[in-house]
Amino acid sequence: DVKVTQSSRYLVKRTGEKVFLECVQDMDHENMFWYRQDPGLGLRLIYFSYDVKMKEKGDIPEGYSVSREKKERFSLILESASTNQTSMYLCASSLSAQGAFFGQGTRLTVV
Amino acid sequence: RKEVEQDPGPFNVPEGATVAFNCTYSNSASQSFFWYRQDCRKEPKLLMSVYSSGNEDGRFTAQLNRASQYISLLIRDSKLSDSATYLCVVNDFGGYNKLIFGAGTRLAVHP
């Protein structure tokens, strides 16, 4: 079974803090993704990576950065958290052109 | 125009009914298509891939119409446990395996 693990289920951070969301997959997938999901807006792609140290912007990259130093780990960084970044964050991984598998999600609240 | 569009529903159907969802996509170069299921406050889970010739998995049938750029999901003999949001997903293969999600169609199956 594919396992995608996100480091936290729930996080509460203060405005202006630097926030790290970690994601690890154990299936040697080359592709990894970060999405955020908000009511009425569906899943929106923030960043994705198709190889170690490679990254591409998704549809809403502003205010975020990513890091992929190892194949199994893809980190999402909120440089200076703001209240409009309160959301559910979902990490996923996939192999080539196949469907992706998701982690359980991190519900981030910025106060 | 959104890249992937779905009717948000909700579709309210009785147990045993047959229900169909459609989804349209804008990029004619898209090559891979999927249906995901998402339960309330859970991560999306891959339900099935969609192949050009159409494919079936038990009570679920997926179809792809490339000429009209839409995919469909048919659920026969609906069960209470089918109640969920169904997400249409397109691999926007512009050189990378970028998965684009529709906003989802909500299904509620009642006794």
Side-chain angles (χ1 to χ4, degrees):
Chain A
D1 257 6
V2 175
K3 196 162 173 76
V4 181
T5 304
Q6 294 182 229
S7 52
S8 306
R9 291 295 301 272
Y10 301 95
L11 272 181
V12 180
K13 296 292 181 181
R14 294 194 180 280
T15 301
E17 276 193 77
K18 191 167 186 175
V19 182
F20 294 86
L21 302 183
E22 306 285 348
C23 175
V24 177
Q25 50 97 0
D26 66 357
M27 285 302 292
D28 202 34
H29 286 172
E30 66 261 24
N31 304 307
M32 295 189 75
F33 309 83
W34 275 106
Y35 293 87
R36 64 178 281 179
Q37 187 172 32
D38 301 287
L41 296 176
L43 275 89
R44 293 180 292 167
L45 182 63
I46 304 171
Y47 268 97
F48 66 103
S49 169
Y50 53 93
D51 203 350
V52 176
K53 297 191 190 293
M54 306 304 287
K55 60 187 180 186
E56 288 291 326
K57 292 179 180 179
D59 299 315
I60 51 162
E62 297 79 19
Y64 303 94
S65 62
V66 289
S67 172
R68 191 159 181 209
E69 296 296 317
K70 293 185 178 181
K71 191 174 186 179
E72 67 270 19
R73 187 180 295 270
F74 192 36
S75 303
L76 179 70
I77 303 147
L78 284 66
E79 299 291 343
S80 177
S82 63
T83 54
N84 63 14
Q85 293 179 309
T86 292
S87 187
M88 168 70 90
Y89 289 87
L90 289 155
C91 174
S93 73
S94 76
L95 189 64
S96 187
Q98 298 179 15
F101 296 87
F102 282 84
Q104 77 277 29
T106 297
R107 193 166 290 278
L108 172 68
T109 302
V110 182
V111 298
Chain B
R1 183 187 170 186
K2 288 185 182 176
E3 292 178 86
V4 180
E5 293 205 64
Q6 296 181 250
D7 181 343
F11 284 58
N12 293 300
V13 302
E15 274 186 289
T18 295
V19 62
F21 310 133
N22 287 332
C23 162
T24 58
Y25 61 94
S26 59
N27 185 354
S28 59
S30 299
Q31 297 187 9
S32 305
F33 309 88
F34 310 93
W35 283 102
Y36 278 70
R37 170 198 169 120
Q38 186 173 25
D39 293 293
C40 190
R41 302 183 77 80
K42 298 276 194 174
E43 75 274 19
K45 292 190 176 172
L46 180 62
L47 181 65
M48 59 197 300
S49 301
V50 186
Y51 302 118
S52 296
S53 54
N55 49 297
E56 194 173 298
D57 183 0
R59 298 180 293 107
F60 298 83
T61 300
Q63 298 274 359
L64 168 64
N65 184 319
R66 285 191 185 272
S68 301
Q69 293 179 214
Y70 79 81
I71 69 175
S72 63
L73 178 69
L74 182 79
I75 305 175
R76 289 182 299 279
D77 189 23
S78 299
K79 311 288 185 195
L80 295 177
S81 57
D82 293 334
S83 297
T85 297
Y86 290 84
L87 305 169
C88 170
V89 184
V90 173
N91 186 329
D92 187 14
F93 192 66
Y96 307 112
N97 293 301
K98 179 180 167 185
L99 294 176
I100 307 296
F101 282 73
T105 298
R106 197 152 58 89
L107 171 66
V109 182
H110 57 82

